[in-house]
Structures are given as structure tokens and as C-alpha cells.
């Protein structure tokens, strides 16, 4: 049986990566959906696929019950952000239609409350997954892989550095800008403390990439991980621009928000994104992910593990898209029997995740050492 996979935002930034990965799959019939039917039709015409493709007009703020009745999906993949401004109406409509649901949400509350749909999802026999992306799927997979090597895990310090020359959309930009300068609750010294988005300016030296700048960001892990890894006393997630000038510019704007001179930067996302594009010729297509795990080793000595992913040739966006791709394939083939609603945890392990990136211009670097 071929599964009908409805890809909402299928001609968009992340949706396009997922579509190109799933289209050749013989177990998948891809349905490309978005607010513009003409754009969906144009994207479909340019895509090589194992089965006939369909284009659908669909607005996530519109009548989803009618749209899903028309599309008849077996699996819904929701890529349309920013999720910071959304509730779970798309997931609820998918459940009502008897379809599995995956999203690429990075919004803290959105992902952490997806379990509220668990009873409804189980009643319909479907899987509902929030955050099928880098956070919390990849980040938890990295921790789980290295956790057996620690007698006690004390701290996680990690982040994502974007490539300047990469496809980046308005929704992603708006999502990031929504918390720049805003207060964020984090675990520091074993208690909840407040930091501010894009502040706590710091640098990390990457293999191949050199020094990249970072600032604090808000993600689901900040709520999920202290409960998942109860010995943690500190967790920091940060993000940054490849170009230091742009990063420092955003850092400066964060102070205007924090001090109340600007209410929020996300309302200026279009202009700031346009400005960022002007600097593309000064950047590259190289992005990175890093995680530093610190604690105590089995021998009682302090232990630290440094894990890096370096993506070149603009292949970085495949990393956050990979969980949705892998889970859609598993569901289409009947290889995943989990049901209910949950954040994207314990569904993919690190070896499976990294194995799916093989063939892309992506390299993994590991630096285990005693502190």
C-alpha cells in the first residue's frame, strides 16, 4: 500500500527539502500543499517522483477538516512556521482525519504541550509527533548516545551556527526574532534562572569553520531535558550567524528589545531578512552544530565530550528535516508501531540519524576527553 503523505508548506524552505527526499520513495505518494495552489502546481511539475504527485491549496488557518477530507492523507507533515504563534489545530485535524502527524516545530510551549493530544491520538490509532527536527530529536539522540559513558551528566552546552549562503525563509527568521531580547527560563547552577534571547554572547571554535559567535535561544529542550536527565545542573542552547557582523548586529538589537525600546523584532522580520541577504557574498554554505557534554566519568574523574556536525555546500537544512523524512518513511512502510502524541524523543537513535545524512556534504567530528 502506498501512503498518501500531505506535506503542508511543501513548496517552502524546509518543505522543499522534505519533498525532494520523499518524492522518489515507492511507498509514498506525495501531496504538496500550501496557500497558493499555483505555486504548489509549479513545484509538483518540477519534481521527479515515484508516483503521480498532487497539488492542494491549504491554509492552516482555514477549514482543515474540509481540506483533509479532500486530500485524504495517511500522514500529515506540517512545516509551516513560525510555530511560536500556533496552537495544535493542525494536529487535531489530522487526528480527526485518522492521519499520523509530524511537525518541524521548534517552539518551546508548542512541542512541550503536544502530549495533551495523547488520548485523542491513541483513540484514533495514530502517531502525533511534535518537534521532528534538530530539537529535540537530534539533540536528545546525541545525549542518549554518550550518556552511558558518564557516571553523572552535569551540563549540556550546545548550539547551531547557520550558513550565510543557505535557503532561509521568513517563517524561520520570524521564529528566531520572536525571542531575541526576550526573557528565557533556563537551568543554571541547578535552579531556574532568566537569560535573554541572543545575549550571553560567546564563541565556539569549530573544526573546519573556526570561531563562530553564539547567543542564547529558546527551544523545547530547556523544559524537556532537566526532567529527562535529572542530574543536569546546567543547560545552554544557543544559535548564531556565520558572519560575526550580522551576529553582533542582532546582539545589539536584542538590547533594544530587552530595554523596551523595541517591543519585538519578529514584526520586522521581512526587512531584516532582506538586509541579511545583502551580505550573502561575504559568507559561505557552511553551517554547524555542536554539543559539549560535561560531568563525571566512570573513573570518578571530570569528563567532557565535544560533538560537532559540519555541513558544507548548503546541505545544513537537511539536518533539521531528517527526522520528519525518516519517520514519514517508517510510517509509510508500517515499520513504526508507536501511537499517541509526544515530542520527538526515543523515536530515532543517533546512528540512524547520522546514517541518513550519508551521501550529503556533512561530516561528524567527535572529541572525547577528560576535562
Amino acid at each position: 500500500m502506498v501512503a498518501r503523505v500531505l506535506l503542508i508548506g511543501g513548496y517552502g524552505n524546509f518543505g522543499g527539502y522534505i519533498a525532494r527526499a520523499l518524492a522518489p520513495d515507492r511507498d509514498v505518494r506525495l501531496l504538496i500543499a500550501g496557500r497558493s495552489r499555483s505555486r504548489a502546481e509549479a513545484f509538483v511539475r518540477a519534481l521527479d517522483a515515484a508516483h503521480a504527485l498532487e497539488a492542494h491549496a491549504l491554509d492552516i488557518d482555514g477549514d482543515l477538516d474540509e481540506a483533509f477530507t479532500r486530500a485524504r492523507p495517511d500522514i500529515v507533515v506540517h512545516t509551516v512556521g513560525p510555530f511560536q504563534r500556533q496552537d495544535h489545530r493542525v494536529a487535531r485535524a489530522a487526528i480527526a482525519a485518522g492521519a499520523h502527524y509530524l511537525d518541524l516545530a521548534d517552539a518551546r510551549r508548542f512541542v512541550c504541550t503536544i502530549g495533551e493530544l495523547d488520548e485523542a491520538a491513541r483513540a484514533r490509532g495514530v502517531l502525533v509527533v511534535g518537534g521532528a527536527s534538530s530539537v529535540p530529536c537530534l539533540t536528545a539522540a546525541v545525549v542518549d548516545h554518550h550518556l552511558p559513558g558518564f557516571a553523572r551528566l552535569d551540563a549540556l552546552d550546545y548550539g547551531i551556527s547557520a550558513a550565510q549562503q543557505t535557503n532561509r525563509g521568513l517563517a524561520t527568521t520570524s521564529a528566531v526574532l520572536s525571542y531575541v531580547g526576550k526573557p528565557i527560563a533556563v537551568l543554571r547552577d541547578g535552579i531556574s534562572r532568566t537569560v535573554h534571547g541572543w545575549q550571553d554572547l560567546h564563541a565556539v571554535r569549530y573544526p573546519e569553520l573556526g570561531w563562530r559567535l553564539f547567543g542564547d535561544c529558546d527551544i523545547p529542550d530547556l523544559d524537556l531535558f532537566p526532567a529527562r536527565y535529572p542530574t543536569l545542573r546546567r543547560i545552554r542552547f544557543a544559535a548564531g550567524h556565520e558572519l560575526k557582523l550580522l551576529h553582533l548586529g542582532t546582539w545589539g538589537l536584542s538590547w533594544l528589545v530587552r530595554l523596551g525600546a523595541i517591543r519585538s523584532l519578529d514584526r520586522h522580520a521581512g526587512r531584516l531578512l532582506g538586509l541579511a541577504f545583502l551580505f550573502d557574498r561575504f559568507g559561505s554554505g557552511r553551517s554547524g552544530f555542536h554539543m559539549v557534554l560535561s560531568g563525571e566519568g566512570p573513573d570518578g574523574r571530570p569528563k567532557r565530550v565535544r560533538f560537532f556536525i559540519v555541513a558544507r555546500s548548503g546541505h545544513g537544512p537537511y539536518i533539521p528535516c531528517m527526522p520528519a523524512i525518516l519517520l514519514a518513511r517508517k510510517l509509510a512502510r508500517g515499520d513504526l508501531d508507536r501511537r499517541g502524541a509526544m515530542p520527538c524523543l526515543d523515536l530515532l537513535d543517533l546512528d540512524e540519524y547520522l546514517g541518513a545524512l550519508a551521501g550529503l556534504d556533512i561530516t561528524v567530528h567527535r572529541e572525547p576527553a577528560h576535562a
Side-chain angles (χ1 to χ4, degrees), residues 198 201 213 241 243-254:
W198 218 262
L201 183 67
L213 294 178
H241 299 293
L243 298 181
K244 295 178 178 61
L245 177 63
L246 290 183
H247 187 95
L248 290 171
T250 307
W251 173 77
L253 290 172
S254 75

Side-chain angles (χ1 to χ4, degrees), residues 78 83 87-92 95 101-103 105 107-121 127-131 136 224 340-345:
H78 179 19
F83 289 91
D87 58 20
H88 295 131
R89 69 187 312 270
V90 180
R92 292 183 186 279
I95 294 170
Y101 167 90
L102 310 167
D103 65 49
R108 185 170 178 171
R109 187 177 185 280
F110 185 98
V111 174
C112 292
T113 58
I114 195 74
E116 294 173 357
L117 306 182
D118 187 65
E119 184 177 349
L127 178 64
V128 172
V129 179
L224 297 173
M342 64 202 73
C344 195
L345 300 167

Side-chain angles (χ1 to χ4, degrees), residues 13 34-35 49 56 60 62 76 82 123 133 141 145 178 194 200 209 243 264 270 283 285 292 299 331 367:
N13 185 24
R35 285 184 296 179
H56 290 263
I60 60 170
V76 174
S133 191
H145 180 85
S178 69
T194 299
D200 191 12
L209 305 183
L243 298 181
S264 181
V292 180
D299 57 4
L331 289 168
E367 300 176 5

Side-chain angles (χ1 to χ4, degrees), residues 8-325:
I8 303 176
Y11 53 78
N13 185 24
F14 290 133
Y17 285 97
I18 296 172
R20 285 184 284 272
L22 291 180
D25 196 310
R26 294 190 175 276
D27 295 306
V28 170
R29 182 185 298 277
L30 206 54
L31 289 61
I32 302 297
R35 285 184 296 179
S36 170
R37 184 180 182 87
S38 61
R39 291 184 64 185
E41 290 173 341
F43 186 79
V44 162
R45 288 194 295 269
L47 205 60
D48 292 326
H51 300 285
L53 299 166
E54 297 179 19
H56 290 263
L58 187 152
D59 187 337
I60 60 170
D61 295 320
D63 187 342
L64 291 175
D65 291 336
E66 187 278 330
F68 286 0
T69 297
R70 177 168 26 92
R72 296 177 292 110
D74 300 302
I75 303 166
V76 174
V77 181
H78 179 19
T79 74
V80 180
F83 289 91
Q84 284 80 0
R85 301 174 183 170
Q86 297 182 37
D87 58 20
H88 295 131
R89 69 187 312 270
V90 180
R92 292 183 186 279
I95 294 170
H100 302 294
Y101 167 90
L102 310 167
D103 65 49
L104 272 66
D106 61 353
R108 185 170 178 171
R109 187 177 185 280
F110 185 98
V111 174
C112 292
T113 58
I114 195 74
E116 294 173 357
L117 306 182
D118 187 65
E119 184 177 349
R122 290 180 183 276
R124 290 290 285 169
V126 297
L127 178 64
V128 172
V129 179
S133 191
S134 301
V135 294
C137 183
L138 172 61
T139 50
V142 174
V143 178
D144 293 344
H145 180 85
H146 292 96
L147 193 60
F150 286 85
R152 187 187 68 246
L153 181 64
D154 295 331
L156 297 173
D157 196 337
Y158 55 114
I160 295 172
S161 179
Q164 180 64 26
Q165 294 178 6
T166 188
N167 292 332
R168 51 199 187 277
L170 183 60
T172 301
T173 302
S174 181
V176 173
L177 293 176
S178 69
Y179 50 73
V180 169
K182 299 293 183 66
I184 301 171
V186 299
L187 181 69
R188 299 282 166 89
D189 302 319
I191 61 175
S192 179
R193 297 185 182 274
T194 299
V195 299
H196 290 81
W198 218 262
Q199 298 195 352
D200 191 12
L201 183 67
H202 61 283
V204 176
R205 190 174 187 274
Y206 272 74
E208 303 182 45
L209 305 183
W211 291 100
R212 295 278 179 102
L213 294 178
F214 289 88
D216 286 338
C217 289
D218 197 19
I219 57 169
D221 304 22
L222 299 178
D223 277 338
L224 297 173
F225 282 13
R228 184 176 177 85
Y229 310 110
T231 63
L232 278 179
R233 293 185 55 79
R234 174 183 171 85
I235 179 171
R236 176 171 69 175
F237 176 82
H241 299 293
E242 174 186 356
L243 298 181
K244 295 178 178 61
L245 177 63
L246 290 183
H247 187 95
L248 290 171
T250 307
W251 173 77
L253 290 172
S254 75
W255 281 101
L256 296 180
V257 175
R258 181 175 178 178
L259 296 172
I262 298 176
R263 182 177 178 183
S264 181
L265 289 178
D266 57 341
R267 63 181 61 188
H268 306 289
R271 286 190 292 271
L272 291 172
L273 179 60
L275 179 62
F277 281 131
L278 298 177
F279 290 83
D280 281 3
R281 63 193 181 98
F282 300 108
S284 72
R286 302 186 301 170
S287 58
F289 166 84
H290 73 275
M291 177 176 281
V292 180
L293 303 89
S294 304
E296 183 180 288
D299 57 4
R301 297 171 59 194
K303 180 174 181 176
R304 183 177 65 179
V305 173
R306 288 160 55 88
F307 177 92
F308 296 90
I309 300 176
V310 174
R312 297 169 294 270
S313 305
H315 287 180
Y318 279 106
I319 298 173
C321 292
M322 196 51 68
I325 294 168

